[in-house]
Amino acid sequence: GGIKVNMTDGVKLNVDGFVPIPRAGDNATTKFPVLLFPNSWGMPIIEYIVKTLNFAQDGYIALEYETRGWYTSGGEIDAAGPQDLKDASSILDFALSKTEWQPDPDNVAMIGISYGAGISLAATGNDPRFKTAVVLSGWQNITKMIMPYGTPNLVWGGLLELLANLVGHPPAQLTQLYEDALHHRNLSFIREFCAPRDPGRFLPQFNARKTPLFFSHNRLDRLFRSEWTMDFFTQLNYTDKFLMTNQGVHAEPEVFGLIDLGKNKIFAYARQWLDHYLMGRSTDITQMPKVQMQLGEIISDQTYVGFDTWPSTAVQEQHFTMTARGGDHFGGLLTSTTVATVGDAADETIGFTSLPALTAGIPVVTALTRSFGVPYDTQILLAPKSENMIFRSAPLDADARYCGVPRVTVQVSASHPAWQVYAYLYDVDEVDIAYLVANTFYTSWGDTNTTTAGGVSTHELQFHSICKTIPRGHRVGLGFVLSSSLFQPANTDGSLQVQFHYGPSIQLVMPLNPQ
């Protein structure tokens, strides 16, 4: 279904949606706000059919469209490039030209999920006619998505390429981009392709205009990681902004909201946001704390922790200093700044294996099951010391709620200039079963002076955001390995070894939110 709308270069895009039925009190001078919904990567035009109908029933002109290169829209996939931004403005021109719909040119907004979220954010920065945007599971920097922390996104990158080839019309550049990222080559091409596709480049425009922006992001999102959205949120230097961090994988809770399955706070709050900024209605969201973090690890849990600002004074940094394992199975995580090494061990080494004991589980599947309350656990006593570096804190003497972005500083040297390290944050129970909380990683491709074989380098690694209570008697756990099935490694040589060095600055920093 839908109608074809001409773009500036003659390409026709497929557009569909609903317009309001006039209600009591409406007349020929009544103006209706306009909402544009660009499709998610690989999704057809019916993606937002329920939501566009819901919004139209409440007085919005709500149009969804297939961006160029997808399904029945013409052209090639532009991957949120300059032409996609021109297209968003052209769709708005079309909506405003339909005078019989009585559109309100002063109250228009973009709203999208995933690919549509990135386009919504960038289009709002590009065209000041868009008054606000609702950005659900979106991104700010596409280079980070392709190679987060220098680590090619093997699984999610492969899924995106597969979808593009199945139901879209991708340019040859997209396949080249993925292959180049996997092999860490043609980096100048990757940067040149990605730069005009980074919505974050519009930060100066957002700050100058004080553009109201609504963000929702999910903690188990392995495509667009939640810590990046939180960082971008802090760079917006005004107060008309709102951020939700939720349990779930990429776009998962938003998809449930699309079909009105269960109580979905994301779309409930997004509706309040749009009602306030486009309809001028008084809604609860204007009185709520600006940052809402879903507590726990189950997608259906309705408990959120609110923070008035971010960073928040309600969150304290709790520092754990890593200490050597020595003859023990585990190293320590000491809350004291005193470094207690075991014997004369100032550094320790682990070796590469393609089947480490510490993992994030089955790609995509494990993250999905975790969001439904099935924990992913590992008996860390069984993890071989030669391939797994594991640290534990002392048992907690009280429940500890952690909300924010943990980070860890490591100082390492490797037997080869190309190496990778993967870190896992755990909630460890009384019998050393470790429940996965968060993960992070770093890859050296041996192309800088600091990553020569044997050279010592220091790296601060950010985990994805969390909001979780570790109960009294449990421990904070931290583990490192040299391979993961989620990402493309720089080095799979069985002789690869990475040496961890200790010192006062080699710490895990946890965002403690005292209750």
Side-chain angles (χ1 to χ4, degrees):
I3 57 177
K4 302 295 185 181
V5 178
N6 282 317
M7 299 297 104
T8 56
D9 60 351
V11 165
K12 297 179 184 292
L13 299 192
N14 195 19
V15 181
D16 205 348
F18 298 91
V19 297
I21 297 174
R23 298 168 296 183
D26 292 340
N27 54 46
T29 64
T30 301
K31 299 296 182 183
F32 300 105
V34 179
L35 297 180
L36 302 186
F37 295 75
N39 68 304
S40 302
W41 190 272
M43 294 296 289
I45 198 168
I46 61 170
E47 176 182 7
Y48 298 105
I49 189 169
V50 174
K51 286 302 166 195
T52 50
L53 176 60
N54 291 162
F55 275 104
Q57 289 170 331
D58 201 26
Y60 290 89
I61 297 168
L63 302 180
E64 56 181 338
Y65 69 97
E66 286 169 347
T67 53
R68 62 176 51 224
W70 291 103
Y71 292 93
T72 58
S73 283
E76 291 184 327
I77 296 169
D78 195 39
Q83 194 59 54
D84 273 325
L85 305 193
K86 292 179 184 177
D87 292 349
S89 295
S90 294
I91 299 292
L92 178 57
D93 291 339
F94 165 75
L96 297 180
S97 74
K98 305 295 283 185
T99 55
E100 65 272 25
W101 294 352
Q102 299 173 220
D104 184 349
D106 295 324
N107 287 291
V108 298
M110 296 285 292
I111 175 171
I113 299 172
S114 185
Y115 182 56
I119 290 175
S120 294
L121 183 60
T124 302
N126 183 63
D127 189 336
R129 292 180 298 172
F130 292 110
K131 188 174 183 180
T132 184
V134 172
V135 183
L136 310 176
S137 285
W139 78 91
Q140 297 78 43
N141 185 309
I142 204 167
T143 309
K144 284 185 175 180
M145 179 274 286
I146 295 168
M147 297 186 299
Y149 308 122
T151 309
N153 208 329
L154 177 65
V155 171
W156 279 97
L159 287 174
L160 294 182
E161 185 186 35
L162 177 64
L163 279 173
N165 286 303
L166 281 176
V167 296
H169 309 285
Q173 283 179 306
L174 274 185
T175 298
Q176 180 188 344
L177 182 79
Y178 180 57
E179 292 300 319
D180 285 348
L182 288 183
H183 297 93
H184 198 71
R185 68 191 181 204
N186 295 337
L187 298 186
S188 60
F189 160 69
I190 293 174
R191 286 190 289 267
E192 289 167 8
F193 183 88
C194 292
R197 292 167 170 81
D198 291 342
R201 74 187 189 279
F202 291 107
L203 178 66
Q205 288 89 332
F206 293 135
N207 282 333
R209 298 182 204 140
K210 311 298 183 192
T211 307
L213 294 173
F214 179 106
F215 297 93
S216 169
H217 220 102
N218 307 321
R219 296 197 288 269
L220 299 183
D221 192 331
R222 300 292 183 260
L223 184 61
F224 308 133
R225 290 175 64 88
S226 56
E227 69 268 30
W228 301 335
T229 294
M230 294 188 73
D231 181 61
F232 185 77
F233 184 82
T234 65
Q235 296 178 61
L236 297 169
N237 63 11
Y238 51 92
T239 58
D240 286 348
K241 57 183 181 177
F242 195 85
L243 170 65
M244 300 179 71
T245 68
N246 320 287
Q247 184 59 12
V249 303
H250 178 68
E252 181 188 3
E254 292 91 341
V255 167
F256 288 128
L258 279 181
I259 56 177
D260 286 339
L261 184 62
K263 297 178 181 178
N264 190 275
K265 284 197 173 183
I266 298 169
F267 274 99
Y269 288 169
R271 168 59 71 88
Q272 289 187 32
W273 182 266
L274 293 168
D275 284 353
H276 174 71
Y277 284 101
L278 301 188
M279 291 278 197
R281 295 173 178 167
S282 176
T283 60
D284 292 342
I285 200 166
T286 59
Q287 306 303 317
M288 292 172 57
K290 301 293 185 183
V291 177
Q292 297 286 324
M293 295 189 183
Q294 188 175 20
L295 182 62
E297 298 185 299
I298 302 176
I299 196 171
S300 59
D301 197 322
Q302 296 297 303
T303 303
Y304 279 74
V305 181
F307 301 92
D308 290 327
T309 59
W310 197 264
S312 173
T313 56
V315 175
Q316 306 167 4
E317 290 191 343
Q318 185 179 38
H319 293 252
F320 293 92
T321 303
M322 286 182 274
T323 63
R325 298 175 297 176
D328 297 329
H329 195 75
F330 305 117
L333 292 174
L334 303 185
T335 53
S336 167
T337 56
T338 302
V339 178
T341 56
V342 179
D344 59 357
D347 50 66
E348 294 177 300
T349 300
I350 55 172
F352 178 86
T353 174
S354 59
L355 296 172
L358 307 184
T359 75
I362 303 170
V364 183
V365 174
T366 296
L368 279 169
T369 57
R370 285 178 62 196
S371 72
F372 286 102
V374 180
Y376 182 68
D377 59 74
T378 302
Q379 174 46 266
I380 52 177
L381 277 172
L382 301 179
K385 284 183 66 176
S386 60
E387 302 163 351
N388 304 268
M389 184 81 73
I390 304 174
F391 303 87
R392 299 180 315 173
S393 73
L396 302 180
D397 56 12
D399 290 356
R401 187 166 74 188
Y402 297 104
C403 293
V405 178
R407 65 184 191 274
V408 62
T409 300
V410 294
Q411 189 175 76
V412 296
S413 53
S415 59
H416 189 279
W419 53 272
Q420 60 282 326
V421 64
Y422 305 90
Y424 299 99
L425 183 64
Y426 292 108
D427 169 358
V428 182
D429 72 9
E430 295 87 349
V431 293
D432 288 315
I433 294 177
Y435 299 92
L436 183 60
V437 175
N439 73 324
T440 188
F441 36 82
Y442 179 82
T443 299
S444 164
W445 291 87
D447 52 3
T448 69
N449 292 332
T450 60
T451 54
T452 55
V456 178
S457 57
T458 303
H459 307 276
E460 183 179 88
L461 313 181
Q462 282 191 322
F463 291 91
H464 61 74
S465 66
I466 65 173
C467 194
K468 172 186 172 60
T469 299
I470 296 181
R472 178 178 180 271
H474 284 206
R475 305 170 188 257
V476 176
L478 177 65
F480 296 93
V481 293
L482 304 186
S483 69
S484 166
S485 59
L486 288 170
F487 303 100
Q488 177 77 5
N491 193 336
T492 59
D493 191 321
S495 66
L496 174 65
Q497 293 189 321
V498 172
Q499 193 171 52
F500 287 73
H501 304 268
Y502 298 101
S505 63
I506 308 307
Q507 295 185 338
L508 168 68
V509 180
M510 294 289 287
L512 181 64
N513 174 219
Q515 301 175 48

